[in-house]
């Protein structure tokens, strides 16, 4: 009976073989550099994108917005580009009890060279701030003017204060014959051929505003026919 009982006992399982198989299954793959995939540092953008529900590789900040550089290759649509020119920067000094207090003013012109133009004036204690204010003011005052090809449709005279600017159409190849202030306004508006003459005061602010005022009163042949209700031959 004792021999039969011994024969019925199950054979012992080799523990070393089982442990070896488990170790092989649980051991992660090691790359050639000796670092496993779990030990490698993950991309912070991928972790944020996964936690926030954004696209992988993005710097999502949660709720699937996926802000930052990883926007899936999407590019923001750029607005229209404008030509920006600084016509004049003037320094003003105010005498106070402690000495002189300096400030700056800037006159700028902006336009798309396709008939849209505006002028702006800004004041600040620093030059960059004054220029920035002037450009903001110019963008607010932008208007569409009438252009006939590369010149103006007819003669016009702009006046402001003691300044008077006379503008006359010119043939192709003439260019912009004007002073610095009037040239900046005309070129930003898209006028390529014109003859001008300035009378009276040559102050840059007055000349620029006089030129701008004259351009706003230009009318094409079609606009005049529509306003008067007649046909011009």
């Amino acid at each position: 009976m004792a021999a039969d009982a011994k024969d019925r006992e199950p054979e012992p399982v080799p523990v070393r073989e089982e442990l070896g198989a488990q170790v092989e299954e649980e051991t992660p793959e090691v790359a050639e550099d000796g670092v496993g995939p779990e030990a490698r540092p993950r991309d912070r953008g991928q972790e944020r994108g996964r936690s926030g529900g954004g696209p992988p590789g993005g710097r999502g900040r949660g709720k699937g917005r996926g802000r930052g550089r990883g926007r899936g290759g999407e590019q923001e649509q750029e607005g229209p580009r404008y030509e920006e020119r600084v016509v004049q920067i003037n320094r003003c000094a105010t005498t106070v009890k402690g000495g002189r207090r300096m400030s700056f003013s800037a006159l700028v012109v902006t336009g798309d060279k396709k008939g849209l133009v505006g002028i702006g004036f800004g004041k600040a204690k620093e030059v960059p701030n004054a220029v920035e204010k002037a450009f903001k003011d110019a963008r607010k005052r932008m208007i569409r003017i009438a252009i006939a090809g590369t010149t103006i449709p007819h003669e016009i005279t702009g006046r402001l204060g003691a300044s008077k600017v006379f503008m006359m159409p010119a043939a192709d190849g003439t260019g912009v014959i004007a002073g610095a202030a009037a040239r900046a306004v005309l070129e930003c508006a898209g006028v390529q051929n014109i003859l001008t003459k300035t009378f009276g005061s040559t102050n840059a602010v007055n000349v620029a505003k006089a030129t701008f005022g004259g351009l706003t009163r230009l009318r094409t042949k079609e606009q005049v026919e529509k306003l008067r209700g007649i046909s011009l031959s």
Side-chain angles (χ1 to χ4, degrees):
M1 298 295 292
D4 296 337
K6 291 180 180 180
D7 296 336
R8 293 176 182 177
E9 291 179 359
E11 295 181 1
V13 180
V15 180
R16 293 183 179 179
E17 295 181 0
E18 293 182 358
L19 292 176
Q22 293 179 2
V23 170
E24 292 179 358
E25 294 177 359
E26 297 177 359
T27 302
E29 297 180 2
V30 180
E32 295 179 359
D33 55 359
V35 181
E38 297 180 359
R40 294 176 182 173
R42 292 184 177 180
D43 187 3
R44 297 178 63 185
Q46 294 181 358
E47 294 181 357
R48 292 182 180 179
R50 291 175 183 174
S51 62
R59 298 181 62 184
R61 298 184 181 179
K63 297 183 180 181
R65 295 182 180 179
R67 295 181 180 176
R69 298 178 181 176
R71 296 189 178 182
E74 295 181 0
Q75 298 180 356
E76 297 182 359
Q77 296 181 356
E78 297 183 357
R81 296 182 179 180
Y82 297 114
E83 178 79 12
E84 296 179 343
R85 296 191 183 184
V86 179
V87 179
Q88 185 185 43
I89 295 178
N90 187 31
R91 185 181 68 177
C92 179
T94 303
T95 304
V96 295
K97 184 177 181 181
R100 288 187 176 182
R101 183 177 300 172
M102 309 299 294
S103 62
F104 299 89
S105 62
L107 175 67
V108 303
V109 182
T110 182
D112 62 351
K113 292 188 174 183
K114 297 180 182 179
L116 192 64
V117 65
I119 62 174
F121 190 78
K123 296 180 180 180
K125 295 182 179 180
E126 301 292 338
V127 174
N129 296 338
V131 173
E132 184 179 358
K133 287 182 179 180
F135 279 128
K136 289 182 179 180
D137 184 49
R139 295 188 191 100
K140 294 178 182 179
R141 299 173 182 271
M142 295 183 72
I143 62 171
R144 181 75 60 180
I145 66 171
I147 296 179
T150 60
T151 186
I152 57 177
H154 55 83
E155 297 179 0
I156 194 73
T157 301
R159 294 180 176 84
L160 184 74
S163 298
K164 183 171 66 173
V165 180
F166 172 75
M167 293 170 280
M168 184 174 64
D172 293 343
T174 305
V176 179
I177 310 301
R183 175 186 294 271
V185 177
L186 294 170
E187 290 183 350
C188 288
V191 180
Q192 301 177 10
N193 300 285
I194 191 172
L195 298 171
T196 66
K197 178 62 179 177
T198 302
F199 301 95
S201 174
T202 58
N203 180 272
V205 178
N206 286 0
V207 172
K209 290 184 177 180
T211 306
F212 181 75
L215 294 177
T216 58
R217 293 186 287 109
L218 289 174
R219 297 291 183 271
T220 61
K221 179 180 178 181
E222 291 76 13
Q223 292 175 341
V224 174
E225 290 178 347
K226 185 177 180 181
L227 289 172
R228 297 183 180 180
I230 59 176
S231 177
L232 300 177
S233 56

